[in-house]
Amino acid sequence: MEYFPAPLEKLVEQFARLPGIGGKSAQRLAFFVLGLPETEAREFADAIVDAKKNVTCCPVCQNFTAGGLCPICSSPRRDASVICVVADPRDVAAMERSREYNGQYHVLHGVISPMNHVGPDDIAIKSLVSRVAKGDVKEVIMATNPDTEGEATAMYIARLLKNFDVRVTRLAYGIPVGGHLEFADDATLMRALEGRQDI
Amino acid sequence: MEYFPAPLEKLVEQFARLPGIGGKSAQRLAFFVLGLPETEAREFADAIVDAKKNVTCCPVCQNFTAGGLCPICSSPRRDASVICVVADPRDVAAMERSREYNGQYHVLHGVISPMNHVGPDDIAIKSLVSRVAKGDVKEVIMATNPDTEGEATAMYIARLLKNFDVRVTRLAYGIPVGGHLEFADDATLMRALEGRQDI
């Protein structure tokens, strides 16, 4: 027999399909939403539809934006001669939090992953190459994640960009600030040693 | 500066207000929804509005239902002379999973909790008393959670029902099936000892 009425069961199912949300959590969330005042529940629903309708990809850097050029690409204060290549819009947010970077971005929306049937044409590599081909770009910083796929994607793109007069760099590897040597894995430690600098 | 476009930021905020969802998870969920096909995103939004609109409380047992009497209260196969009192509709689901119980339910929608300003009038106690007052009920099983507030609520209701010719019982305490003695807390062990039965 059914334990919950159909509309509630359906809402639970919708929550359960979200990543990292199991059956129990989905129930908890559905019940929470059911307990909201009608206007707030509708706000939630509207936020989903609005985001889906109004969030687009910037035609230049492919980052999410609310229509047209994104604020970073359209800002005259950002250095258009440096492009930081990231896999995901969230990585842009992470880089921006560092307040250290003043160039532009290019969001790949994924990494090359033969296991998951994601090839070079499935992510925003072509648009990156055509940005570089225009000739105004001096440096491309590869900032994909330091895992196998991120690494392979960075290498693939670096090789593509060899044809252009552009410097291609990679974020430095090493011990995370505030980290402990004893918890650092071998590969990180090796890279940190290789990349050691004079002080 | 803003890292995400406003409609996306708004969706992240909506997810972040859900219980147990922190900022990072909210981002992950919002990005997932943004990645859904338009129709599926709309289905999600509709599920919220539908649930909010169509899920009502059963006029008899106060359990969630899709309008009118709930399937349990309206089933002729359920024993209307026994009422199991639970705090939450999810507890009904848990009891039903045991496939052991054939009576009806009464969902309090909360427990008495002076700390949270929840008094006896804020939960569905009155409707329980008037069900019992009709005289057809032979037993009321208190199945609120075995914590302080659940306990206090059970005691409070039991005292109210003293005025009627009805047996009031409480779920048994003891070692959970499959549990380990060494991990059982003192209070549980004490209750298990008190409630020991001949074999």
Side-chain angles (χ1 to χ4, degrees):
Chain A
M1 81 163 290
E2 271 183 342
Y3 302 130
F4 298 132
L8 178 53
E9 200 67 65
K10 219 164 165 182
L11 185 58
V12 172
E13 271 167 30
Q14 288 290 343
F15 274 114
R17 56 184 294 197
L18 297 178
I21 305 289
K24 285 271 171 189
S25 302
Q27 272 186 23
R28 196 162 35 88
L29 299 182
F31 273 72
F32 175 83
V33 169
L34 213 55
L36 289 176
E38 179 122 15
T39 51
E40 293 183 25
R42 189 166 283 277
E43 265 171 35
F44 194 162
D46 288 347
I48 293 173
V49 176
D50 278 2
K52 193 65 206 163
K53 204 187 294 172
N54 298 325
V55 175
T56 56
C57 285
C58 170
V60 174
C61 74
Q62 310 298 328
N63 192 8
F64 283 144
T65 181
L69 272 189
C70 77
I72 292 177
C73 285
S74 59
S75 165
R77 292 202 309 276
R78 308 290 299 221
D79 182 357
S81 72
V82 187
I83 296 179
C84 177
V85 178
V86 295
D88 191 284
R90 273 166 291 188
D91 299 332
V92 172
M95 289 291 294
E96 288 295 290
R97 273 197 297 274
S98 77
R99 294 162 190 276
E100 190 63 42
Y101 181 68
N102 195 38
Q104 294 189 342
Y105 292 94
H106 195 86
V107 180
L108 298 173
H109 289 282
V111 284
I112 297 171
S113 169
M115 290 266 287
N116 300 313
H117 308 288
V118 180
D121 293 340
D122 298 321
I123 61 177
I125 291 182
K126 261 191 196 131
S127 50
L128 171 64
V129 173
S130 47
R131 278 178 84 179
V132 173
K134 281 183 191 150
D136 300 331
V137 179
K138 292 200 177 64
E139 181 175 358
V140 173
I141 305 172
M142 298 305 310
T144 49
N145 283 326
D147 52 19
T148 323
E149 293 172 345
E151 208 59 16
T153 306
M155 288 304 150
Y156 179 89
I157 293 175
R159 225 173 25 233
L160 275 185
L161 298 181
K162 278 260 157 63
N163 309 320
F164 304 98
D165 179 26
V166 66
R167 185 180 169 208
V168 181
T169 57
R170 181 92 174 98
L171 285 189
Y173 290 101
I175 314 293
V177 177
H180 290 271
L181 271 192
E182 60 172 324
F183 299 130
D185 60 298
D186 297 354
T188 301
L189 223 49
M190 197 186 71
R191 296 299 197 102
L193 206 59
E194 281 174 9
R196 68 189 181 279
Q197 303 192 326
D198 295 313
I199 50 172
Chain B
M1 83 163 289
E2 271 182 343
Y3 301 129
F4 297 132
L8 177 53
E9 199 68 64
K10 219 163 162 183
L11 184 57
V12 172
E13 272 166 31
Q14 287 290 342
F15 275 115
R17 56 184 297 197
L18 297 178
I21 305 290
K24 285 270 170 191
S25 302
Q27 271 186 25
R28 195 163 36 88
L29 299 181
F31 274 73
F32 175 83
V33 169
L34 213 55
L36 289 176
E38 178 122 14
T39 50
E40 292 183 26
R42 190 166 285 277
E43 262 170 37
F44 194 162
D46 288 347
I48 293 174
V49 175
D50 278 1
K52 192 65 205 162
K53 204 188 295 174
N54 298 325
V55 175
T56 55
C57 285
C58 170
V60 174
C61 74
Q62 310 298 328
N63 193 9
F64 284 144
T65 181
L69 270 189
C70 77
I72 293 177
C73 284
S74 58
S75 165
R77 291 203 309 276
R78 308 290 299 221
D79 181 357
S81 70
V82 187
I83 297 178
C84 176
V85 178
V86 295
D88 192 284
R90 273 166 290 188
D91 300 331
V92 171
M95 289 291 294
E96 287 296 291
R97 273 196 299 272
S98 78
R99 293 163 192 275
E100 189 62 43
Y101 180 67
N102 194 38
Q104 296 189 339
Y105 292 94
H106 195 86
V107 180
L108 297 174
H109 289 282
V111 284
I112 298 172
S113 168
M115 291 266 288
N116 299 313
H117 308 288
V118 180
D121 293 341
D122 299 320
I123 61 178
I125 292 182
K126 262 190 198 131
S127 50
L128 171 63
V129 173
S130 48
R131 278 178 83 179
V132 174
K134 280 183 193 151
D136 299 331
V137 180
K138 291 201 177 63
E139 180 176 359
V140 173
I141 304 172
M142 298 306 310
T144 49
N145 284 326
D147 52 18
T148 322
E149 293 172 344
E151 207 59 17
T153 306
M155 287 306 149
Y156 179 88
I157 293 175
R159 228 177 15 236
L160 275 186
L161 298 181
K162 279 260 157 65
N163 309 319
F164 304 96
D165 180 28
V166 65
R167 184 180 169 207
V168 182
T169 56
R170 182 94 176 94
L171 286 188
Y173 291 102
I175 314 293
V177 177
H180 289 274
L181 268 194
E182 57 172 328
F183 299 130
D185 60 297
D186 298 353
T188 302
L189 222 50
M190 196 185 71
R191 298 297 197 103
L193 205 60
E194 281 174 7
R196 69 190 182 276
Q197 302 191 330
D198 294 314
I199 51 175

